[in-house]
Amino acid sequence: MEDMQYVILKKERFNDFISRLSKMQKLIAPVSKGYNNFAFEEVSSGSDIALKYIPTVLPLKKFFMPQRETLLEFKMAKGADAEAVVELEPMTIFGAHTCDLAGIQCLNMVFSERPKDYNYLTRKNRITLIGLECNEYCDEYASCHLVNASFPGGGYDLFFTDLGDYFIVHVKTQIGDEIVDVTGFFEKADVSHMNDLERLRDHKRKVFSNEVPIESKKLPELFDKSFRARVWKDLDERCLACGNCTNVCPSCYCFDIRDELDLSLKNGVRFRIWDSCQLEPFARVAGGINFRKERSARQRHRYYRKFRYSVDRFSRFFCTGCGRCTRTCMAGISLKETLNELIKESEDRVWKKWL
Amino acid sequence: MEKVALKDSGYRLKKAKILHTKKMTANEKFFEIALRENSPLDHEPGQFIMVSLPGIGEVPISVCSSPVKRDSFDLCVRAVGKVTRSLHKLKAGDEIDIRGPYGKGFPIRILEGNDLLIIAGGLGIAPLRSLITYILDNRRDFGKVHILFGCKEPKEMLFGDELEDWNKRTDLHYACTVDRADPDWAGNVGVITTLIPGVDIDPIRTFAAVVGPPIMYNFVIKELLAKGIPENQILLSFERNMKCGNGKCGRCQIQNLYVCQDGPVFHYERIKNLSEAF
């Protein structure tokens, strides 16, 4: 396969392509769930799919790292060994925006870091990812350009860009190549198609710009100076500690591990389940001491995990700019506002030094 | 959704048998445990394991024996939650499941040849016992050894027989104190920091190993620095909530560090500026 391979899919063949794809294995795509609400769900025809959508309520992590997943199965009989298991379901996901592809790249890095998490990695290897470009901003909550997620940056098998009458499709992997071959609805892209794509990207470069006034590479430095910023106190007063922001975040992966017995009390499972650093007991030890007791410390922890700690550990931001945390927050805590406040406060400090 | 056996799972358990138990105090119980076929745990002093009671749950517990003892290992468990209270009900012959060992223990290769000042507060003696017994098993590899132990009341004193033994030994210096004495107590009374000024050490060649309740660290570190022990020669072990032990679940995170993988033993120099550490 060539390094850069583009094909096109005419719009009139899109429904046939989706039908064909859904017959190969379970197919997931964004579907409309009422006004401005979308969800990734199983689809079987192109008409089910919302091609123009704002980020779904839950990100793709629900397929890669299910909300609840069995790790062990055991019998209560004496001497019985517990069996380690992984829950698998091969699937194709169509229509992942660049922010959500970035989210999966984050999770891939976390679970590939030693000691590797084979539950995640085994499942991930059964999932085919087809991206879909955002030609415009979804809404005012997104901050994808700031975190380098507004343009495709890999992490997919195929990547679709809507260019009016047709999609231009970047074939990135062997699996993507096979889909193109097997479905048979694609045509080779020519220079005019490539020019159309370049025109769209030029347009995007004009539309997309850093959503808060700071260079992306200065963000870690901003956070280095902001551990004691006033804004954390402000969040302390507003945050309801509900954990919504972390549940909907594409790169939040903290979990709890629990045991459960069936009604016979003879068989049981150990499972992991999404947890949230925003909840009060999260960092509490058995003796009762809580190392992040204050909501300010917990909110600060969330932001530092997105913009500072991940830079040290994985050389990237773990914020994908999708805007979900802001859209879902009942207290109206806004990621862009928080960053703006941090920038303002840091500039104030510089002025104070001069005065 | 299909369920498939996963050979490489990080959550696989190893069967282990309780060989011996001993009630130590009202809240703490001692367990001697052997893996199947008496295979060695292969831990470093200061590391911990995840102890499982399937159906009830899993908790991180420090190993409190020296790795020199290869057929079995020891745990000292305080009953504070669901799993630890259930563990207390077990007796010799019962089975548990474990995984691990996890984390970074005390850097033995760095400590060798140096003097040691070991400071234990309360249950902190448990992880330190793995270091102390290792040192006693390899006594010639280390310089002078001082052990300071403090607990709230005499009745909370753990490993009493061994403390007696350490007190009698001529190849180490041992001192202890209690916060509150009872009528039978003839020793020191006061918090553990009161023992530090009187210890005769050469700070430049002394490594301090400190384990105790969170409140103890700030005060002890202040005294150690006043003694002239360099920051990179002070070792601390942290207690945190842990679910996975693999640096993923997020509970034990202190800023950008995961206690379960990057710790639990840290050089003070590395963590002194982390506000969530103490």
mmCIF file of all heavy atoms in Angstrom, chain A residues 105-128:
data_model
loop_
_atom_site.group_PDB
_atom_site.id
_atom_site.type_symbol
_atom_site.label_atom_id
_atom_site.label_comp_id
_atom_site.label_asym_id
_atom_site.label_seq_id
_atom_site.Cartn_x
_atom_site.Cartn_y
_atom_site.Cartn_z
ATOM 1 N N GLN A 105 -6.566 7.704 20.668
ATOM 2 C CA GLN A 105 -5.093 7.695 20.690
ATOM 3 C C GLN A 105 -4.568 7.852 22.111
ATOM 4 O O GLN A 105 -3.591 7.207 22.505
ATOM 5 C CB GLN A 105 -4.542 8.812 19.788
ATOM 6 C CG GLN A 105 -4.696 8.510 18.301
ATOM 7 C CD GLN A 105 -4.235 9.660 17.424
ATOM 8 O OE1 GLN A 105 -4.486 10.822 17.734
ATOM 9 N NE2 GLN A 105 -3.562 9.346 16.327
ATOM 10 N N CYS A 106 -5.230 8.711 22.885
ATOM 11 C CA CYS A 106 -4.822 8.894 24.296
ATOM 12 C C CYS A 106 -4.966 7.574 25.060
ATOM 13 O O CYS A 106 -4.043 7.131 25.746
ATOM 14 C CB CYS A 106 -5.687 9.960 24.983
ATOM 15 S SG CYS A 106 -5.442 11.619 24.354
ATOM 16 N N LEU A 107 -6.156 6.966 24.932
ATOM 17 C CA LEU A 107 -6.384 5.713 25.662
ATOM 18 C C LEU A 107 -5.396 4.636 25.219
ATOM 19 O O LEU A 107 -4.901 3.858 26.034
ATOM 20 C CB LEU A 107 -7.823 5.228 25.455
ATOM 21 C CG LEU A 107 -8.937 6.133 25.977
ATOM 22 C CD1 LEU A 107 -10.292 5.458 25.804
ATOM 23 C CD2 LEU A 107 -8.731 6.498 27.436
ATOM 24 N N ASN A 108 -5.103 4.592 23.906
ATOM 25 C CA ASN A 108 -4.135 3.605 23.415
ATOM 26 C C ASN A 108 -2.789 3.763 24.115
ATOM 27 O O ASN A 108 -2.135 2.775 24.466
ATOM 28 C CB ASN A 108 -3.927 3.765 21.904
ATOM 29 C CG ASN A 108 -5.118 3.317 21.096
ATOM 30 O OD1 ASN A 108 -6.033 2.677 21.629
ATOM 31 N ND2 ASN A 108 -5.141 3.658 19.820
ATOM 32 N N MET A 109 -2.372 5.001 24.295
ATOM 33 C CA MET A 109 -1.077 5.236 24.931
ATOM 34 C C MET A 109 -1.117 4.793 26.392
ATOM 35 O O MET A 109 -0.192 4.158 26.888
ATOM 36 C CB MET A 109 -0.722 6.721 24.861
ATOM 37 C CG MET A 109 -0.466 7.181 23.447
ATOM 38 S SD MET A 109 -0.026 8.917 23.375
ATOM 39 C CE MET A 109 1.733 8.783 23.259
ATOM 40 N N VAL A 110 -2.205 5.131 27.079
ATOM 41 C CA VAL A 110 -2.324 4.778 28.500
ATOM 42 C C VAL A 110 -2.267 3.264 28.689
ATOM 43 O O VAL A 110 -1.521 2.752 29.519
ATOM 44 C CB VAL A 110 -3.657 5.314 29.074
ATOM 45 C CG1 VAL A 110 -3.943 4.711 30.442
ATOM 46 C CG2 VAL A 110 -3.627 6.831 29.143
ATOM 47 N N PHE A 111 -3.061 2.560 27.888
ATOM 48 C CA PHE A 111 -3.186 1.128 28.135
ATOM 49 C C PHE A 111 -2.063 0.310 27.484
ATOM 50 O O PHE A 111 -1.931 -0.878 27.751
ATOM 51 C CB PHE A 111 -4.575 0.636 27.710
ATOM 52 C CG PHE A 111 -5.658 1.158 28.610
ATOM 53 C CD1 PHE A 111 -6.546 2.135 28.195
ATOM 54 C CD2 PHE A 111 -5.751 0.695 29.918
ATOM 55 C CE1 PHE A 111 -7.524 2.628 29.043
ATOM 56 C CE2 PHE A 111 -6.720 1.184 30.778
ATOM 57 C CZ PHE A 111 -7.610 2.151 30.346
ATOM 58 N N SER A 112 -1.246 0.979 26.643
ATOM 59 C CA SER A 112 -0.058 0.305 26.100
ATOM 60 C C SER A 112 1.155 0.512 26.991
ATOM 61 O O SER A 112 2.170 -0.153 26.820
ATOM 62 C CB SER A 112 0.291 0.842 24.712
ATOM 63 O OG SER A 112 -0.807 0.761 23.870
ATOM 64 N N GLU A 113 1.060 1.499 27.885
ATOM 65 C CA GLU A 113 2.184 1.759 28.785
ATOM 66 C C GLU A 113 2.313 0.566 29.730
ATOM 67 O O GLU A 113 1.328 0.025 30.201
ATOM 68 C CB GLU A 113 1.916 3.048 29.581
ATOM 69 C CG GLU A 113 3.138 3.584 30.288
ATOM 70 C CD GLU A 113 2.811 4.711 31.269
ATOM 71 O OE1 GLU A 113 1.731 4.691 31.897
ATOM 72 O OE2 GLU A 113 3.657 5.601 31.422
ATOM 73 N N ARG A 114 3.564 0.167 30.009
ATOM 74 C CA ARG A 114 3.770 -0.963 30.893
ATOM 75 C C ARG A 114 3.395 -0.618 32.327
ATOM 76 O O ARG A 114 3.690 0.473 32.766
ATOM 77 C CB ARG A 114 5.229 -1.416 30.833
ATOM 78 C CG ARG A 114 5.464 -2.295 29.662
ATOM 79 C CD ARG A 114 6.940 -2.547 29.429
ATOM 80 N NE ARG A 114 7.172 -2.864 28.048
ATOM 81 C CZ ARG A 114 6.895 -4.043 27.492
ATOM 82 N NH1 ARG A 114 6.387 -5.010 28.219
ATOM 83 N NH2 ARG A 114 7.115 -4.251 26.224
ATOM 84 N N PRO A 115 2.777 -1.555 33.077
ATOM 85 C CA PRO A 115 2.289 -2.855 32.624
ATOM 86 C C PRO A 115 1.072 -2.704 31.711
ATOM 87 O O PRO A 115 0.134 -2.003 32.051
ATOM 88 C CB PRO A 115 1.915 -3.560 33.926
ATOM 89 C CG PRO A 115 1.774 -2.491 34.949
ATOM 90 C CD PRO A 115 2.573 -1.319 34.509
ATOM 91 N N LYS A 116 1.142 -3.371 30.547
ATOM 92 C CA LYS A 116 0.101 -3.225 29.541
ATOM 93 C C LYS A 116 -1.234 -3.774 30.034
ATOM 94 O O LYS A 116 -1.277 -4.727 30.803
ATOM 95 C CB LYS A 116 0.501 -3.986 28.273
ATOM 96 C CG LYS A 116 1.685 -3.367 27.569
ATOM 97 C CD LYS A 116 1.999 -4.117 26.295
ATOM 98 C CE LYS A 116 3.190 -3.464 25.613
ATOM 99 N NZ LYS A 116 3.335 -3.948 24.239
ATOM 100 N N ASP A 117 -2.297 -3.165 29.530
ATOM 101 C CA ASP A 117 -3.634 -3.627 29.882
ATOM 102 C C ASP A 117 -4.192 -4.422 28.702
ATOM 103 O O ASP A 117 -4.666 -3.850 27.720
ATOM 104 C CB ASP A 117 -4.534 -2.440 30.194
ATOM 105 C CG ASP A 117 -5.876 -2.874 30.743
ATOM 106 O OD1 ASP A 117 -6.680 -3.462 29.985
ATOM 107 O OD2 ASP A 117 -6.104 -2.649 31.937
ATOM 108 N N TYR A 118 -4.116 -5.748 28.822
ATOM 109 C CA TYR A 118 -4.503 -6.586 27.691
ATOM 110 C C TYR A 118 -6.015 -6.669 27.506
ATOM 111 O O TYR A 118 -6.473 -7.031 26.428
ATOM 112 C CB TYR A 118 -3.874 -7.980 27.814
ATOM 113 C CG TYR A 118 -2.372 -7.917 27.572
ATOM 114 C CD1 TYR A 118 -1.471 -7.893 28.628
ATOM 115 C CD2 TYR A 118 -1.877 -7.819 26.272
ATOM 116 C CE1 TYR A 118 -0.103 -7.801 28.406
ATOM 117 C CE2 TYR A 118 -0.512 -7.718 26.040
ATOM 118 C CZ TYR A 118 0.363 -7.710 27.108
ATOM 119 O OH TYR A 118 1.706 -7.599 26.875
ATOM 120 N N ASN A 119 -6.774 -6.335 28.546
ATOM 121 C CA ASN A 119 -8.223 -6.282 28.336
ATOM 122 C C ASN A 119 -8.535 -5.208 27.294
ATOM 123 O O ASN A 119 -9.274 -5.439 26.341
ATOM 124 C CB ASN A 119 -8.941 -5.963 29.651
ATOM 125 C CG ASN A 119 -8.945 -7.146 30.584
ATOM 126 O OD1 ASN A 119 -7.946 -7.431 31.217
ATOM 127 N ND2 ASN A 119 -10.061 -7.860 30.631
ATOM 128 N N TYR A 120 -7.954 -4.042 27.497
ATOM 129 C CA TYR A 120 -8.177 -2.946 26.551
ATOM 130 C C TYR A 120 -7.574 -3.275 25.180
ATOM 131 O O TYR A 120 -8.242 -3.152 24.148
ATOM 132 C CB TYR A 120 -7.557 -1.658 27.103
ATOM 133 C CG TYR A 120 -7.663 -0.491 26.143
ATOM 134 C CD1 TYR A 120 -8.735 0.388 26.204
ATOM 135 C CD2 TYR A 120 -6.690 -0.284 25.162
ATOM 136 C CE1 TYR A 120 -8.841 1.446 25.314
ATOM 137 C CE2 TYR A 120 -6.793 0.772 24.265
ATOM 138 C CZ TYR A 120 -7.865 1.633 24.340
ATOM 139 O OH TYR A 120 -7.960 2.667 23.456
ATOM 140 N N LEU A 121 -6.307 -3.703 25.186
ATOM 141 C CA LEU A 121 -5.598 -3.864 23.914
ATOM 142 C C LEU A 121 -6.205 -4.958 23.043
ATOM 143 O O LEU A 121 -6.280 -4.830 21.822
ATOM 144 C CB LEU A 121 -4.112 -4.145 24.171
ATOM 145 C CG LEU A 121 -3.352 -2.987 24.848
ATOM 146 C CD1 LEU A 121 -1.934 -3.414 25.224
ATOM 147 C CD2 LEU A 121 -3.318 -1.745 23.957
ATOM 148 N N THR A 122 -6.669 -6.043 23.691
ATOM 149 C CA THR A 122 -7.279 -7.131 22.922
ATOM 150 C C THR A 122 -8.570 -6.636 22.262
ATOM 151 O O THR A 122 -8.843 -6.934 21.100
ATOM 152 C CB THR A 122 -7.597 -8.324 23.850
ATOM 153 O OG1 THR A 122 -6.446 -8.594 24.636
ATOM 154 C CG2 THR A 122 -7.985 -9.556 23.072
ATOM 155 N N ARG A 123 -9.351 -5.880 23.019
ATOM 156 C CA ARG A 123 -10.622 -5.379 22.487
ATOM 157 C C ARG A 123 -10.363 -4.375 21.362
ATOM 158 O O ARG A 123 -10.998 -4.418 20.309
ATOM 159 C CB ARG A 123 -11.436 -4.729 23.610
ATOM 160 C CG ARG A 123 -12.841 -4.380 23.216
ATOM 161 C CD ARG A 123 -13.676 -3.860 24.361
ATOM 162 N NE ARG A 123 -13.501 -4.620 25.570
ATOM 163 C CZ ARG A 123 -12.800 -4.209 26.611
ATOM 164 N NH1 ARG A 123 -12.218 -3.043 26.606
ATOM 165 N NH2 ARG A 123 -12.671 -4.976 27.673
ATOM 166 N N LYS A 124 -9.414 -3.480 21.591
ATOM 167 C CA LYS A 124 -9.090 -2.435 20.620
ATOM 168 C C LYS A 124 -8.718 -3.036 19.255
ATOM 169 O O LYS A 124 -9.091 -2.502 18.210
ATOM 170 C CB LYS A 124 -7.930 -1.603 21.169
ATOM 171 C CG LYS A 124 -7.317 -0.662 20.193
ATOM 172 C CD LYS A 124 -5.912 -0.312 20.638
ATOM 173 C CE LYS A 124 -5.096 0.015 19.480
ATOM 174 N NZ LYS A 124 -4.010 -0.578 19.027
ATOM 175 N N ASN A 125 -8.000 -4.163 19.288
ATOM 176 C CA ASN A 125 -7.569 -4.781 18.035
ATOM 177 C C ASN A 125 -8.722 -5.351 17.210
ATOM 178 O O ASN A 125 -8.527 -5.742 16.067
ATOM 179 C CB ASN A 125 -6.546 -5.883 18.315
ATOM 180 C CG ASN A 125 -5.217 -5.284 18.732
ATOM 181 O OD1 ASN A 125 -4.952 -4.114 18.449
ATOM 182 N ND2 ASN A 125 -4.395 -6.056 19.416
ATOM 183 N N ARG A 126 -9.918 -5.435 17.798
ATOM 184 C CA ARG A 126 -11.089 -5.937 17.067
ATOM 185 C C ARG A 126 -11.957 -4.792 16.548
ATOM 186 O O ARG A 126 -13.029 -5.014 16.022
ATOM 187 C CB ARG A 126 -11.964 -6.822 17.969
ATOM 188 C CG ARG A 126 -11.261 -7.963 18.642
ATOM 189 C CD ARG A 126 -10.911 -9.055 17.633
ATOM 190 N NE ARG A 126 -10.657 -10.318 18.294
ATOM 191 C CZ ARG A 126 -9.549 -10.612 18.961
ATOM 192 N NH1 ARG A 126 -8.603 -9.716 19.082
ATOM 193 N NH2 ARG A 126 -9.384 -11.785 19.533
ATOM 194 N N ILE A 127 -11.521 -3.558 16.743
ATOM 195 C CA ILE A 127 -12.355 -2.422 16.360
ATOM 196 C C ILE A 127 -11.730 -1.683 15.168
ATOM 197 O O ILE A 127 -10.563 -1.316 15.207
ATOM 198 C CB ILE A 127 -12.567 -1.450 17.542
ATOM 199 C CG1 ILE A 127 -13.237 -2.186 18.711
ATOM 200 C CG2 ILE A 127 -13.405 -0.248 17.108
ATOM 201 C CD1 ILE A 127 -13.453 -1.344 19.958
ATOM 202 N N THR A 128 -12.536 -1.527 14.108
ATOM 203 C CA THR A 128 -12.109 -0.775 12.933
ATOM 204 C C THR A 128 -12.648 0.646 13.058
ATOM 205 O O THR A 128 -13.800 0.833 13.424
ATOM 206 C CB THR A 128 -12.680 -1.444 11.663
ATOM 207 O OG1 THR A 128 -12.227 -2.798 11.638
ATOM 208 C CG2 THR A 128 -12.245 -0.720 10.408
#
